[in-house]
Amino acid sequence: MTAYIIRRILLMIPTLVAIMVINFAIIHIAPGGPVEQIIANLTGTGADITGRVTRTDVGENLPQGQDGGDGNGYRGAQGLDPAFIAELEARFGFDKPLHERFFEMMGNYLVFDFGESFFRDRSVVDLVLEKMPVSISLGVWTTLLVYLISIPLGIAKAMRDGSRFDLWTSVVIVIGTAIPSFLFAVFLLVVFAGGSYLDWFPLRGLVSDNWEELNWLDRIRDYLWHITLPVIAMTISGFATLTMLTKNSFMDQIGQQYVLTARAKGLSERRVMYGHVFRNAMLIVVAGFPSAFVGMLFTGSVLIEIIFSLDGLGLLGFEAAFQRDYPVVFGTLYFFSLLGLIMTLVGDIMYTIIDPRIDFEARRV
């Protein structure tokens, strides 16, 4: 197992580099950038969601170019002093070739130096640490709730395969799979958060404004009151997939020869299911927990955080991409890609812990 872990760790290096190269190229090819953002603020131009700048009237008191140039090729920069544009490029590191910027960035990332945000005047690490509690709250509660619902429901469906219970729960699962989490979140807001119907839950935020003034019991209640709707919205699509995975895993094991042997010995159905089938059937479910948690934590909560105005990592990444805040975009991409690769390795290790018969060293990576 040690040799397998070492090989997997070595494979993480080219994988991580490939992820960064592809995203670095795509983001720099996309129109707009931090220089354009500054120009837009100075000249009163507007930027659409892609970051493209549309020319409007430029104030007469802005720095004027001596040669009437176009601002070194930046849209909306006509009339600005080229020296001022060059200063902006130097500030953001755009005075260096693209490949040099990439290698310098990756060199800093090797020592976990993610730099400073372009527009927030704070380090990327500080921003991530500040926003992480919100995303961790969503990820932990959602993952816990998904597993608590999906595993018992999947086992029950496997034991009652073809029954009315299996049929009706399958209908619920299909509906849950078909409804996007963000659409269900909007529905919850309209119905339960002061829309046209009920006003049972808060509209936004993770805690109330007076949270610091509350005692510890009221703080817990206030926190749970705020987190309920976002967690339910994220759970609705997550539990459906895991439920069917659990059921199919149990159904696959039920048809194995060792189950028929156990039944032939006169063991009760409950003993067969939980004493023999459970361990093998839960292998794929439990081993996938690390990657599932990372998915819930960093990818599944983006739209939920935006809809419920939760200041977490999802909202931070969305705003950074919109503002072309490259240090935040690339820093968080590097960190969470590395974390995802590590969690995938942890999932493989969990396979061997749950079932020692599995030997990854006998396989080629």
Side-chain angles (χ1 to χ4, degrees):
M1 189 64 183
T2 302
Y4 172 77
I5 294 175
I6 293 175
R7 291 197 300 268
R8 285 293 300 272
I9 292 175
L10 293 177
L11 278 175
M12 289 182 187
I13 299 175
T15 303
L16 187 59
V17 171
I19 292 173
M20 296 303 298
V21 167
I22 294 173
N23 285 275
F24 189 85
I26 291 175
I27 291 178
H28 280 83
I29 291 173
V35 175
E36 285 87 343
Q37 293 286 336
I38 298 296
I39 293 174
N41 291 333
L42 289 175
T43 61
T45 58
D48 62 19
I49 195 168
T50 65
R52 290 190 293 266
V53 179
T54 304
R55 174 70 174 171
T56 60
D57 294 334
V58 179
E60 296 180 357
N61 58 341
L62 292 174
Q64 298 295 316
Q66 297 178 353
D67 58 357
D70 61 354
N72 294 336
Y74 294 104
R75 293 188 60 187
Q78 292 87 348
L80 293 180
D81 189 348
F84 174 72
I85 301 297
E87 181 182 347
L88 286 179
E89 291 180 333
R91 172 186 172 187
F92 296 121
F94 289 175
D95 56 335
K96 303 175 183 177
L98 192 63
H99 68 278
E100 185 177 336
R101 301 206 310 263
F102 176 78
F103 287 120
E104 181 179 346
M105 179 188 73
M106 292 301 295
N108 292 331
Y109 286 0
L110 288 176
V111 294
F112 293 96
D113 179 11
F114 299 111
E116 301 282 332
S117 169
F118 284 162
F119 302 106
R120 295 174 181 259
D121 196 27
R122 297 181 61 188
S123 69
V124 175
V125 174
D126 289 341
L127 286 172
V128 171
L129 292 178
E130 178 185 332
K131 312 298 183 183
M132 189 170 287
V134 175
S135 296
I136 288 179
S137 294
L138 291 175
V140 168
W141 286 112
T142 302
T143 305
L144 180 63
L145 194 58
V146 165
Y147 271 75
L148 288 177
I149 294 174
S150 301
I151 294 177
L153 182 59
I155 295 174
K157 286 176 64 63
M159 296 179 65
R160 305 177 187 178
D161 183 47
S163 65
R164 288 187 176 181
F165 172 82
D166 182 40
L167 175 62
W168 287 110
T169 53
S170 295
V171 172
V172 174
I173 289 173
V174 169
I175 295 175
T177 305
I179 300 178
S181 58
F182 72 90
L183 185 61
F184 191 68
V186 174
F187 168 78
L188 292 176
L189 282 177
V190 172
V191 176
F192 298 106
S196 304
Y197 301 94
L198 304 174
D199 191 11
W200 290 355
F201 295 94
L203 185 62
R204 56 185 299 164
L206 189 63
V207 294
S208 300
D209 295 335
N210 64 336
W211 191 79
E212 294 290 343
E213 304 173 2
L214 303 175
N215 58 53
W216 67 271
L217 183 59
D218 289 336
R219 286 185 179 184
I220 294 175
R221 291 174 178 172
D222 183 77
Y223 166 75
L224 294 176
W225 183 47
H226 282 77
I227 203 71
T228 298
L229 292 186
V231 169
I232 292 176
M234 292 180 63
T235 301
I236 189 66
S237 59
F239 93 94
T241 302
L242 187 59
T243 299
M244 294 308 298
L245 177 64
T246 303
K247 178 192 174 182
N248 293 335
S249 180
F250 269 78
M251 292 295 296
D252 179 66
Q253 292 298 319
I254 288 174
Q256 298 295 322
Q257 183 63 42
Y258 74 91
V259 176
L260 299 177
T261 303
R263 287 172 173 168
K265 290 181 179 180
L267 297 179
S268 65
E269 190 66 19
R270 186 177 185 85
R271 178 71 180 275
V272 171
M273 290 296 295
Y274 292 98
H276 295 271
V277 176
F278 184 82
R279 180 178 179 178
N280 294 325
M282 290 302 297
L283 176 63
I284 189 173
V285 176
V286 176
F289 177 82
S291 58
F293 176 70
V294 172
M296 291 288 184
L297 190 59
F298 302 122
T299 60
S301 62
V302 176
L303 293 176
I304 299 300
E305 289 182 13
I306 296 173
I307 292 172
F308 289 95
S309 300
L310 300 174
D311 195 11
L313 293 173
L315 186 59
L316 174 67
F318 174 80
E319 292 177 348
F322 182 78
Q323 297 173 348
R324 301 299 194 268
D325 196 345
Y326 291 164
V328 176
V329 172
F330 292 124
T332 54
L333 173 66
Y334 176 87
F335 177 75
F336 296 136
S337 297
L338 178 60
L339 183 61
L341 292 173
I342 293 174
M343 288 297 102
T344 302
L345 177 59
V346 171
D348 289 344
I349 295 174
M350 289 187 66
Y351 273 111
T352 63
I353 294 176
I354 297 173
D355 191 349
R357 296 173 300 175
I358 296 178
D359 184 11
F360 284 107
E361 293 189 8
R363 301 169 53 194
R364 289 186 178 181
V365 180

